[in-house]
Amino acid sequence: MAAVKAAAYYGVPLFHRSKLPVLRGSVRSKRSATARSVRLLVSARYSQSQDFSTRLQDGVENLPGLVEDIVRTSMNTGPRGALRMAQGIQAIIGVGGEWLADMSKAVNSSSVRLPNELQLGLLSPIYLRRLFERMGATYIKLGQFIASAPTLFPAEYVEEFQKCFDRAPAVPFDKIKAVLLEDLGRPIESVYEYVDPVPIASASVAQVHGARLRGSQQDVVIKILKPGIEDTLVADLNFIYVVARILEFLNPELRRTSLVGIISDIKSSMLEEVDFRKEATNIESFRRYLENTGLTMQAKAPLVYRHCSTRRVLTMERLYGVPLTDLDSIRSVVQDPETSLVTALNVWFGSLLACESFHADVHAGNLWLLRDGRIGFLDFGIVGRISPPTWAAMEVFLTSFASEDYDSMASALITMGATDKDIDSKAFAKDLEKIFSSIQDLDTEIVVATARGGNTAAVSANVVVDERQMNALFLDVVRVSESYGLRFPREFALLMKQLLYFDRYTRLLAPDLNMLQDQRITIASSRRIRSAPTY
């Protein structure tokens, strides 16, 4: 019996007793059977010993690299790391107190079984989201990354982190002035005639103020990185990176999930977002695209004033307009909202190939109808670059989406989400049909009642609802696709999300328009992308 338990523990395949052959031979045959069992057991133990020995040897070989990486990362973090550690402990204690209070209520109630979020404690989506919000800018951004990357994270976490709003208390204006003075290297009054001390918006990382340039009298907006936020980001991201490295060292199986690679990508992406020189380059690239394609009379991106823009300060032309979801205000600017929407679609689709990068966040707060009737593209902090293979599959997807050919749509997604599994494309197509038929159920009557001066709160509320509905629909597509073993590149997620936004605008501004079949709308062909640069 002990041998049976040992064999089971070491993974030796055992026959069920009912399937064992009846032995009526000599004692010798019984002994030989016993000998075979012993040999199997010894072999299994030897195999396990070898695996452990191999893992140990790999661990010893990788340890110096791990230590070197931790030391280098810690040196780059500096003294800020200790402060963030203390703040982290404080946040954990705070959220832990909330969990204990909720646990006490649940235990005292009549419920028989504790909810899953209480059983998981601080690792549950709801408490982890609360912890991230207490930890501030870096973790709010990380939470938003989780919410926008359903191909990488579990659905319940993606859904919960959609509540991770990027709003924060305003930094006092005297601190904002200190950043301006330090980065510009000259008196603020020599650059701006006036800077409004009341911010237009305040997010976790940056704050935006209205201003007027001295000399030209041009109205501008200044995006300023909040003081100290970059040190905090570096400290937090380095800490997260070190944790990921240690986890992979302790559990080599995690290497298959590319945990360190994902964290490294998040780190580089977030650090790029707080370098406003990158955003300035994205804006200027889009403006060149408009000029080279003769679209400057149809669309506009703000002019960047480089002489008063730095890594932490971005000064841009101030654009005035209304979001594409504000139908009443749009009708006061143009007679035919449908024509404006067609223009927006053509400009955006054209940028997929003709521009170095495409705008990857066209929600209602970033896509406006300007007072002069042009389409305004704002906020180029999030952009995407598309590879030829992904676009080739995406083109088939768009065609099938327009014609509601779900069999072709399934085939395109299978091509895009490379997998070794054999997929039942017919069943996949039926599941996709169920999902996309639900698009019609989305609330399309949300109209922002924007005052002429601009109602920031109303626009923000609309953006939040837009984000949640679009994320929920895309999450359904990803969830079903993953059930068939498919995982898509991040560029597909970015493209798909923008299409869902445009679908919202279409049903609000031009209900009879089919944006993927209308002859007025030009969708770039994969035949052209072969000659386009790859990224």
Side-chain angles (χ1 to χ4, degrees), residues 129-183:
R129 191 257 304 166
R130 291 180 186 177
L131 180 61
F132 276 26
E133 288 177 339
R134 279 179 179 255
M135 288 291 289
T138 307
Y139 292 87
I140 288 173
K141 287 291 182 186
L142 183 58
Q144 291 171 344
F145 184 90
I146 293 171
S148 65
T151 59
L152 298 177
F153 300 96
E156 57 271 21
Y157 287 87
V158 172
E159 290 170 346
E160 182 62 35
F161 277 99
Q162 288 171 18
K163 303 172 186 175
C164 216
F165 301 142
D166 192 13
R167 294 197 295 268
V171 171
F173 187 58
D174 59 337
K175 294 185 177 180
I176 293 296
K177 287 175 65 176
V179 174
L180 287 172
L181 183 61
E182 182 179 346
D183 267 46

Side-chain angles (χ1 to χ4, degrees), residues 39-290:
R39 282 197 299 271
L40 281 172
L41 180 57
V42 171
S43 174
R45 285 179 173 172
Y46 177 71
S47 176
Q48 289 287 326
S49 176
Q50 270 194 321
D51 290 343
F52 176 77
S53 176
T54 301
R55 289 198 300 270
L56 183 62
Q57 184 177 352
D58 290 343
V60 171
E61 290 176 354
N62 294 329
L63 184 58
L66 174 65
V67 172
E68 181 183 351
D69 209 359
I70 291 174
V71 171
R72 183 173 61 251
T73 304
S74 300
M75 290 176 66
N76 291 338
T77 302
R80 185 77 183 184
L83 175 61
R84 288 299 288 162
M85 179 68 74
Q87 292 172 339
I89 293 171
Q90 186 177 10
I92 290 171
I93 292 173
V95 177
E98 294 176 8
W99 172 75
L100 286 173
D102 293 340
M103 176 70 82
S104 178
K105 291 178 184 177
V107 170
N108 293 331
S109 69
S110 57
S111 59
V112 178
R113 187 175 180 274
L114 288 174
N116 286 336
E117 61 266 21
L118 291 178
Q119 293 183 39
L120 287 173
L122 298 191
L123 292 179
S124 70
I126 183 171
Y127 293 106
L128 196 60
R129 191 257 304 166
R130 291 180 186 177
L131 180 61
F132 276 26
E133 288 177 339
R134 279 179 179 255
M135 288 291 289
T138 307
Y139 292 87
I140 288 173
K141 287 291 182 186
L142 183 58
Q144 291 171 344
F145 184 90
I146 293 171
S148 65
T151 59
L152 298 177
F153 300 96
E156 57 271 21
Y157 287 87
V158 172
E159 290 170 346
E160 182 62 35
F161 277 99
Q162 288 171 18
K163 303 172 186 175
C164 216
F165 301 142
D166 192 13
R167 294 197 295 268
V171 171
F173 187 58
D174 59 337
K175 294 185 177 180
I176 293 296
K177 287 175 65 176
V179 174
L180 287 172
L181 183 61
E182 182 179 346
D183 267 46
L184 296 177
R186 54 193 185 277
I188 298 173
E189 295 76 15
S190 68
V191 180
Y192 308 104
E193 181 178 284
Y194 167 77
V195 179
D196 190 345
V198 179
I200 297 172
S202 178
S204 59
V205 167
Q207 194 158 297
V208 179
H209 287 260
R212 185 177 296 121
L213 287 179
R214 181 166 292 282
S216 68
Q217 300 292 298
Q218 175 67 49
D219 285 349
V220 297
V221 291
I222 316 172
K223 189 174 181 179
I224 306 112
L225 195 67
K226 289 186 173 180
I229 198 66
E230 193 170 14
D231 289 341
T232 299
L233 282 173
V234 170
D236 290 347
L237 291 170
N238 283 344
F239 173 73
I240 294 169
Y241 174 79
V242 166
V243 170
R245 286 283 282 120
I246 292 173
L247 287 175
E248 276 199 1
F249 177 78
L250 296 176
N251 184 5
E253 291 295 316
L254 286 176
R255 292 176 191 167
R256 297 179 183 177
T257 66
S258 302
L259 179 62
V260 170
I262 292 172
I263 296 300
S264 296
D265 288 344
I266 293 174
K267 180 179 176 181
S268 59
S269 174
M270 288 177 65
L271 290 179
E272 274 194 12
E273 196 174 338
V274 297
D275 184 348
F276 293 154
R277 293 171 300 187
K278 302 281 187 183
E279 185 171 350
T281 299
N282 294 337
I283 296 172
E284 290 171 342
S285 172
F286 193 83
R287 286 177 60 86
R288 282 195 302 273
Y289 151 67
L290 295 178

